[in-house]
Amino acid sequence: MSKRPSPVSPTVDFDADGIQHGFLKLPISTDESAWGAVMIPVTVINNGAGPTALLTAGNHGDEYEGITALLKLSNTLRAEDVRGRVIIVPIMNVPAATAGKRTSGLDGGNLNRSFPGDPDGGVTEQIADYFTRELVPMCDVALDLHSGGRTLDILPFAAAHRLDDHDQEAQSLGGAVAFGAPVAMMMFELDATKLYDTAVESQGKTFVTTELGGGGTTTPERMAIAERGVRNFLIHYGLIEGQLESPAGQQVYVDMPDASCYVQSEHSGLLELSFALGETVRRGDVIARIYDMTRTGSEPIIYHAKRDGVLVARRFPAQVNMGDTIAVIAEVVDSLER
Ligand SMILES: [Zn+2]
């Protein structure tokens, strides 16, 4: 059964020359706005022949490094600097960002668990559907900027996924390395089915994802990584001219071979991690202690590392509940190529 056209209407012309700032308008009807619209900001820059890059952030509403970097880029990138077309959507899930949350303040939807989306679904699924059927088909290369948000803190990295199409995987990996974050990763997803990543990759597009920090804030260091990375991405795929800028130290390659990289809590309480982001962990090391907050005199629950590697992500709030990811340990490798 074919889907009806997307209810989203753009106020920009994706084929017009020059730079345009506008909105992707999605009709909504709420107590606050009976005949209203979700207004998703978009910038389109067109300048002659060349590839199309789709740059996105705010897929989750509390991941501010990418949102900030793309808002800044929309204000600084000039049409004459571009060869081809750059589409910038700094805040994909506007209702989530408005609420200061990972998920939508309108329907509770987690956009990055809503793909490929549905034109007849909730607001979040309608946004996903517009990307899947309208924006992604326009692009050759896509970059989606994430970070840990309020509940995770993540060592800044850019990543590609293992793909059945090895050329597509190599193209994507090239962009992840060129992004120039301190870490480049081959990422394993716990459940990839409903991710934007999968919606893009399944259309044969080159796709790079990132995690650029977290904690629901930004720092100067991480903003510098985000902004340099976006510029490097555009240079690498030929959309702007310039010299690739490398990270300060040697870039570290990490692989996530399987789900054992994720350490998830089987207890609730107060979390004490014994490693900082970027530190080397050995199998068997005490990686975390969880304390019972309801009494004194009780021993903490000890979590041991199940593999060697480097701590690439950690739970950010000290309070932890059952099922929370408390740490992610990735394996350091010499090369990410097959
Ligand atoms: Zn995210």
Side-chain angles (χ1 to χ4, degrees):
M1 201 175 68
S2 68
K3 293 174 175 173
R4 70 165 173 130
S6 170
V8 171
S9 56
T11 67
V12 293
D13 176 354
F14 288 101
D15 296 318
D17 282 338
I19 183 163
Q20 302 165 78
H21 304 288
F23 300 95
L24 311 171
K25 291 171 63 175
L26 171 61
I28 51 165
S29 184
T30 67
D31 290 334
E32 288 70 37
S33 186
W35 293 352
V38 172
M39 305 286 281
I40 301 172
V42 60
T43 291
V44 187
I45 303 174
N46 250 310
N47 189 31
T52 293
L54 175 58
L55 310 179
T56 52
N59 190 335
H60 293 125
D62 63 349
E63 300 177 357
Y64 298 106
E65 295 85 344
I67 292 173
T68 310
L70 292 191
L71 285 173
K72 289 173 80 169
L73 183 72
S74 72
N75 202 33
T76 52
L77 191 59
R78 300 173 308 170
E80 58 264 37
D81 297 333
V82 170
R83 272 185 318 207
R85 177 167 61 175
V86 179
I87 302 171
I88 306 170
V89 185
I91 310 174
M92 293 169 85
N93 196 348
V94 162
T98 304
K101 292 166 57 180
R102 180 174 183 82
T103 57
S104 175
L106 287 179
D107 66 359
N110 179 338
L111 180 57
N112 214 27
R113 302 294 182 278
S114 301
F115 284 85
D118 183 351
D120 295 317
V123 167
T124 309
E125 288 177 310
Q126 290 178 313
I127 295 171
D129 171 67
Y130 183 76
F131 275 85
T132 301
R133 291 194 296 153
E134 298 293 337
L135 289 186
V136 172
M138 290 182 203
C139 84
D140 301 291
V141 297
L143 173 67
D144 193 30
L145 301 171
H146 288 257
S147 54
R150 291 186 301 176
T151 67
L152 290 171
D153 197 16
I154 304 179
L155 197 64
F157 68 76
H161 300 108
R162 290 280 176 230
L163 299 172
D164 293 337
D165 181 335
H166 294 187
D167 285 342
Q168 185 190 8
E169 177 187 302
Q171 282 291 324
S172 301
L173 180 60
V177 170
F179 188 91
V183 171
M185 178 183 287
M186 188 55 75
M187 192 169 187
F188 177 85
E189 306 284 356
L190 284 174
D191 183 359
T193 309
K194 296 168 97 173
L195 299 181
Y196 176 59
D197 314 44
T198 304
V200 179
E201 289 162 350
S202 66
Q203 295 186 37
K205 311 294 184 178
T206 297
F207 180 75
V208 175
T209 187
T210 67
E211 299 286 353
L212 298 170
T217 189
T218 64
T219 67
E221 181 197 1
R222 287 156 170 198
M223 282 310 306
I225 292 167
E227 290 179 66
R228 180 184 68 205
V230 172
R231 227 171 23 245
N232 281 344
F233 179 91
L234 293 174
I235 293 168
H236 178 76
Y237 291 114
L239 285 128
I240 61 174
E241 302 247 1
Q243 286 287 319
L244 289 176
E245 276 182 71
S246 305
Q250 175 81 33
Q251 192 175 39
V252 176
Y253 296 148
V254 301
D255 190 14
M256 291 176 66
D258 55 51
S260 74
C261 295
Y262 291 83
V263 182
Q264 288 182 315
S265 184
E266 296 179 4
H267 303 86
S268 298
L270 182 66
L271 172 67
E272 180 196 15
L273 279 161
S274 30
F275 291 88
L277 287 181
E279 285 189 327
T280 299
V281 178
R282 297 269 168 241
R283 183 187 170 91
D285 283 349
V286 174
I287 190 161
R289 297 176 178 84
I290 296 179
Y291 297 89
D292 184 342
M293 293 168 71
T294 64
R295 68 200 67 248
T296 57
S298 66
E299 293 290 330
I301 308 289
I302 308 279
Y303 280 75
H304 295 275
K306 291 203 175 85
R307 58 184 309 125
D308 291 348
V310 58
L311 186 71
V312 293
R314 52 156 291 178
R315 180 167 170 82
F316 190 69
Q319 249 186 311
V320 65
N321 290 301
M322 291 184 67
D324 292 337
T325 287
I326 56 180
V328 180
I329 302 168
E331 186 180 327
V332 177
V333 294
D334 292 333
S335 167
L336 295 171
E337 287 161 27
R338 283 179 186 269

